[in-house]
């Protein structure tokens, strides 16, 4: 169930702020800065309702542990980072569609966020998204869960990530240059063939299929060391649906969260391909994945894991396990992404796109299910795999991934975002999402929820937790070792 909010919003801005790179500021000479009302630059002005600042930015030097954490999975792509104290309760109470909110950034700049949607995509989690006031091609997605804010702002080659701080009530804000991120994912080329493969919808698309219900339900799983998993799942849903809207995909198609459940493993030292192969093989800790998916009425499954520089057989040092991977066969509609990359480089959208049949730019038999890469190789649409549009190393940054699916009817900076009959993910998704939405039956009609007796003894040791799905009276079984 999605709930819309329409409350008033007080506009805020930040007082004079200059924030350098990590470690550039002196604690004794540079005070914290507070987010204050838009009609003044006085950093001491407090929120009228609470008597406390909505956001306080700290320019203190990060500790060694925080410095290392801010660079984990990104290395030199992190351009700046700082800690911030955010009054989540005040922020939650004042969100409204159509309002604007100035958000301070760690490089000393600030972004004017134009709020387009405020939704409850998962129970108890408020997500809001939209674009920047001076750049409609730039977007943001945030989710609030309890006292924590999780989300990202994307503009040109930069992403600003906001996550809860690991050891305090503060939040970490990172500025990441996406053109400096390592590209590439393990190939699962054996899955390209077959009647349900990439060429299946390369010809004319039947109108009856295009107009069918394309609501794809996603069961989110998360590793034991992933922070704020439900908020991140809501962010992924919001960002994916926003990308469909931006790409003019028919509105009968969208993602719906079927549930968020833990997996009792951190997958320490394991590569992306090792994890996805365990999912496909239904080996530990995924022995009950089919039962969990069935009970949640989930068409596909998406796993969030943490970045791991110790993972063997993945990206070269210093990165290790970063990015994502997916299985495209209907019997195993599974994908995964590392947590920070999920929206930091739109990896979650890219991998879900694979599950929906999308392919990289160099797959010859993919028909229209391919991305558009700019002629100068500086950008690519969501299914771009850093192949034609290459990652050229940290000293020679190059390509970024847009939050757009290929569409010949649209342009970006005057360049067509697709090629008719060759690169048209917009048409592909309109045909494919109704098919994938039938991988599992629709949930039963909504009924009144009633208290349930514990059912622990009924199930084997692979099942350890039970919860309602967000929109139906369904018991979801969480996966454990």
């Amino acid at each position: 169930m999605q709930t819309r909010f329409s409350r008033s919003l007080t506009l805020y801005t930040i007082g004079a702020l200059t924030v350098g790179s990590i470690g550039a500021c002196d604690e004794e000479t540079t005070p914290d800065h507070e987010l204050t009302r838009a009609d003044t630059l006085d950093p001491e002005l407090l929120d009228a309702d609470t008597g406390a600042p909505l956001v306080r930015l700290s320019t203190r030097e990060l500790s060694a542990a925080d410095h290392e954490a801010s660079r984990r999975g990104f290395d030199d792509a992190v351009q700046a980072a700082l800690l911030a104290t955010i009054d989540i309760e005040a922020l939650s109470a004042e969100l409204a569609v159509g309002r604007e909110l100035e958000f301070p950034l760690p490089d000393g700049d600030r972004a004017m966020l134009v709020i387009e949607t405020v939704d409850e995509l998962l129970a108890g989690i408020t997500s809001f998204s939209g674009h920047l006031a001076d750049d409609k091609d730039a977007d943001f997605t945030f989710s609030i869960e309890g006292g924590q804010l999780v989300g990202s702002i994307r503009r040109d080659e930069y992403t600003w990530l906001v996550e809860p701080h690991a050891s305090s009530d503060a939040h970490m804000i990172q500025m990441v240059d996406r053109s400096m991120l390592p590209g590439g994912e393990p190939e699962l080329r054996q899955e390209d063939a077959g009647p349900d493969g990439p060429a299946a919808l390369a010809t004319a698309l039947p109108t009856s299929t295009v107009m069918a219900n394309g609501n794809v339900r996603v069961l989110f799983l998360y590793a034991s060391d992933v922070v704020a998993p439900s908020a991140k799942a809501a962010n992924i849903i919001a960002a994916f649906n926003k990308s469909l809207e931006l790409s003019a995909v028919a509105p009968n198609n969208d993602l719906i969260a079927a549930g968020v459940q833990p997996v009792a493993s951190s997958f320490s030292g394991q590569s992306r391909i090792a994890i996805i192969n365990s999912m496909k093989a239904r080996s530990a800790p995924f022995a009950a994945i089919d039962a969990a998916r069935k009970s949640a009425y989930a068409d596909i499954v998406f796993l969030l894991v943490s970045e791991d520089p110790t993972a063997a057989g993945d990206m070269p040092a210093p990165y290790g396990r970063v990015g994502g991977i997916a299985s495209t066969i209907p019997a195993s509609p599974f994908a995964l992404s590392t947590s920070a990359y999920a929206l930091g480089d739109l990896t979650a959208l890219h991998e879900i796109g694979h599950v929906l049949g999308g392919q990289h730019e160099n797959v010859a038999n993919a028909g229209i299910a391919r991305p558009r890469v700019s002629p100068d190789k500086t950008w690519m649409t969501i299914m771009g795999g850093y192949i034609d549009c290459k990652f050229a190393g940290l000293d020679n940054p190059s390509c970024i991934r847009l939050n757009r699916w290929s569409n010949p009817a649209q342009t970006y900076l005057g360049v067509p975002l697709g090629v008719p009959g060759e690169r048209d993910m917009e048409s592909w998704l309109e045909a494919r999402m109704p098919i994938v939405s039938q991988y599992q039956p629709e949930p039963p009609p909504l009924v009144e929820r009633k208290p349930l007796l514990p059912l622990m003894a009924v199930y084997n040791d692979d099942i350890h937790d039970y919860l309602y799905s967000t929109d139906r009276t369904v018991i979801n079984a969480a996966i454990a070792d």
Side-chain angles (χ1 to χ4, degrees):
M1 179 173 60
Q2 297 184 1
T3 305
R4 297 274 180 179
F5 296 84
S6 56
R7 299 191 179 102
S8 62
L9 179 71
T10 302
L11 302 185
Y12 293 91
T13 187
I14 187 171
L17 172 65
T18 301
V19 181
S21 299
I22 298 170
C25 300
D26 186 336
E27 179 177 349
E28 295 183 358
T29 60
T30 308
D32 291 352
H33 295 267
E34 299 172 356
L35 197 63
T36 58
R37 293 184 182 276
D39 57 0
T40 179
L41 294 179
D42 181 3
E44 298 300 322
L45 185 63
L46 304 180
D47 180 79
D49 296 327
T50 65
L54 189 65
V55 173
R56 177 183 289 117
L57 296 174
S58 175
T59 57
R60 296 183 179 94
E61 181 176 348
L62 295 179
S63 68
D66 288 336
H67 184 193
E68 180 180 354
S70 73
R71 293 167 58 84
R72 185 182 177 94
F74 295 119
D75 200 57
D76 289 343
V78 175
Q79 303 296 291
L82 55 77
L83 296 179
T85 301
I86 304 175
D87 188 337
I88 299 298
E89 184 177 357
L91 176 62
S92 300
E94 299 185 12
L95 293 176
V97 174
R99 302 294 186 176
E100 296 182 349
L101 179 68
E102 263 194 343
F103 197 94
L105 303 173
D107 57 340
D109 203 352
R110 42 192 155 178
M112 178 66 78
L113 311 181
V114 180
I115 301 174
E116 297 177 356
T117 63
V118 182
D119 299 312
E120 188 173 292
L121 300 172
L122 282 165
I125 300 175
T126 301
S127 299
F128 60 101
S129 62
H131 66 273
L132 301 193
D134 59 347
D135 186 353
K136 289 193 175 182
D137 289 320
D139 64 287
F140 67 90
T141 307
F142 287 101
S143 292
I144 296 172
E145 180 182 15
Q148 298 179 329
L149 179 68
V150 176
S152 58
I153 302 169
R154 289 168 294 277
R155 180 174 189 164
D156 299 326
E157 69 268 35
Y158 296 106
T159 294
W160 292 267
L161 298 174
V162 181
E163 288 202 356
H165 185 230
S167 57
S168 73
D169 293 333
H171 288 72
M172 174 78 77
I173 304 178
Q174 301 156 270
M175 177 183 179
V176 178
D177 186 340
R178 292 192 290 140
S179 70
M180 298 176 69
L181 297 177
E185 61 187 345
E187 300 289 345
L188 297 175
R189 292 277 68 84
Q190 72 274 14
E191 298 181 355
D192 290 342
D196 215 19
L201 296 176
T203 56
L205 304 173
T207 302
S208 59
T209 300
V210 173
M211 297 306 294
N213 177 5
N215 304 131
V216 176
R217 292 174 57 85
V218 185
L219 173 61
F220 288 91
L221 306 179
Y222 62 93
S224 58
D225 58 346
V226 170
V227 177
S230 294
K232 290 177 180 177
N235 271 349
I236 292 170
I237 293 289
F240 192 97
N241 290 339
K242 180 63 178 178
S243 74
L244 297 179
E245 177 188 343
L246 289 173
S247 303
V249 175
N252 58 291
N253 304 285
D254 63 2
L255 289 191
I256 298 174
V260 182
Q261 302 176 6
V263 179
S265 175
S266 66
F267 305 98
S268 178
Q270 297 185 42
S271 67
R272 291 169 291 170
I273 198 165
I275 299 171
I276 198 74
N277 282 339
S278 293
M279 296 176 76
K280 291 167 59 182
R282 278 68 171 175
S283 58
F286 300 109
I289 193 170
D290 291 322
R293 180 182 164 214
K294 182 178 180 180
S295 68
Y297 297 88
D299 301 302
I300 68 177
V301 179
F302 191 88
L303 172 68
L304 281 169
V305 298
S306 293
E307 285 72 19
D308 183 359
T310 72
D314 215 304
M315 298 299 290
Y319 299 103
R321 185 176 71 216
V322 297
I325 192 172
S327 165
T328 63
I329 56 177
S332 298
F334 308 146
L336 68 85
S337 172
T338 57
S339 179
Y341 276 65
L343 291 183
D345 195 36
L346 301 176
T347 299
L349 280 61
H350 176 91
E351 301 305 338
I352 293 173
H354 276 311
V355 177
L356 298 174
Q359 296 294 322
H360 291 163
E361 56 266 43
N362 65 332
V363 178
N365 68 334
I368 63 173
R370 291 181 289 175
R372 176 73 159 105
V373 178
S374 67
D376 62 1
K377 306 296 190 292
T378 57
W379 57 259
M380 57 189 177
T381 54
I382 289 172
M383 289 314 303
Y386 294 103
I387 297 169
D388 291 345
C389 189
K390 293 184 181 296
F391 169 75
L394 295 177
D395 295 328
N396 186 24
S398 56
C399 189
I400 61 170
R401 180 178 284 148
L402 303 181
N403 190 22
R404 298 288 190 89
W405 304 94
S406 56
N407 183 344
Q410 294 185 326
T411 61
Y412 177 73
L413 301 179
V415 178
L417 280 167
V419 178
E422 296 181 14
R423 301 176 188 275
D424 187 359
M425 276 295 296
E426 176 258 336
S427 295
W428 174 275
L429 291 170
E430 289 180 340
R432 190 64 174 176
M433 290 185 71
I435 295 173
V436 176
S437 72
Q438 299 303 309
Y439 281 180
Q440 290 289 325
E442 289 293 308
L446 183 65
V447 296
E448 181 182 357
R449 299 182 180 185
K450 297 180 180 180
L452 296 175
L453 295 175
L455 300 178
M456 195 72 71
V458 178
Y459 293 86
N460 61 36
D461 291 339
D462 288 335
I463 310 288
H464 76 85
D465 194 16
Y466 303 89
L467 60 156
Y468 286 109
S469 66
T470 59
D471 58 348
R472 307 288 178 182
T473 306
V474 177
I475 300 173
N476 294 340
I479 298 173
D481 282 328

